Amino acid sequence: MLSVKGSRIALVCSSLIFATSAGYNVWAHGNVTPQAVDTSKLPDIKPDNKTWLTKNPYRDDPKVYAIAQKIGESAYGGNCARCHGLEAISGGIAPDLRYLDKGEAGDEWYIQRFQHGSSRDGKVYMPPMGEALGQKAGWAIRSWLDTKHEE
Ligand code: HEC
């Protein structure tokens, strides 16, 4: 049985960030407020923006791709940088997204993580972003990450 003192300590701890064996942090819920992303300049994703694709639909058209990269840059800054680092250069608390596989090969893994985040054993490593930000923002960020890619 936990003493009163013990449970108080547990409460304090639950608001801290725990390092894990993977070296990444587990985040207490409630500390991530999604920043809305204006994607109105991007074409809708057929049929309804809600059927999740496994390939970046903005990469094929250079004009659209450029717009997506611009929107993605600021969307990344508002929603991802605090964990994945400014300019996608990780400070070590979350994976470095410059090394995601290029092109279609990396799209599926990327969007899966974007949509669902990552949780194991009831701990949230990355909060899900799909619902809050939407698919258009997801592919915009992916388009910008393409510009940061490194082997
Ligand atoms: C609260 C911190 C946090 C935020 C905010 C966050 N992530 Fe993550 N992300 C993580 C962690 C930690 C992992 C590693 C998860 C694991 O080990 O299972 C991760 C993993 C990923 C991966 C898989 C990387 C790989 O190499 O396997 C992608 C892609 C990703 N995040 C994209 C994003 C994008 C895009 C955003 C912004 C929309 C974002 N993340 C916001 C913490 C975060």
Side-chain angles (χ1 to χ4, degrees):
M1 276 277 284
L2 277 174
S3 65
V4 173
K5 196 170 155 217
S7 59
R8 230 185 247 139
I9 287 167
L11 261 178
V12 170
C13 288
S14 70
S15 65
L16 295 176
I17 295 160
F18 288 89
T20 66
S21 53
Y24 301 129
N25 294 329
V26 176
W27 295 78
H29 49 238
N31 62 352
V32 176
T33 311
Q35 300 267 310
V37 180
D38 180 2
T39 55
S40 57
K41 289 207 178 87
L42 285 168
D44 284 333
I45 294 168
K46 290 182 180 100
D48 54 8
N49 288 323
K50 291 201 170 94
T51 306
W52 288 81
L53 307 183
T54 53
K55 175 193 164 208
N56 188 351
Y58 298 142
R59 199 179 282 124
D60 297 335
D61 178 338
K63 239 171 95 183
V64 172
Y65 195 33
I67 297 168
Q69 286 168 347
K70 216 167 153 219
I71 293 170
E73 178 172 17
S74 93
Y76 177 91
N79 291 290
C80 322
R82 67 176 161 274
C83 293
H84 289 283
L86 289 172
E87 293 291 311
I89 301 167
S90 171
I93 63 168
D96 195 308
L97 300 181
R98 291 174 297 169
Y99 303 116
L100 286 172
D101 283 345
K102 224 179 160 172
E104 273 188 69
D107 282 352
E108 189 169 0
W109 175 243
Y110 163 84
I111 206 68
Q112 206 277 339
R113 279 292 186 246
F114 175 84
Q115 189 183 358
H116 300 294
S118 173
S119 302
R120 286 189 295 278
D121 306 324
K123 297 179 199 123
V124 178
Y125 290 76
M126 172 177 156
M129 300 282 174
E131 189 105 346
L133 299 181
Q135 181 172 199
K136 290 171 76 178
W139 290 121
I141 294 169
R142 172 67 173 160
S143 298
W144 177 73
L145 283 171
D146 286 353
T147 70
K148 299 286 156 193
H149 176 81
E150 283 187 25
E151 291 301 330

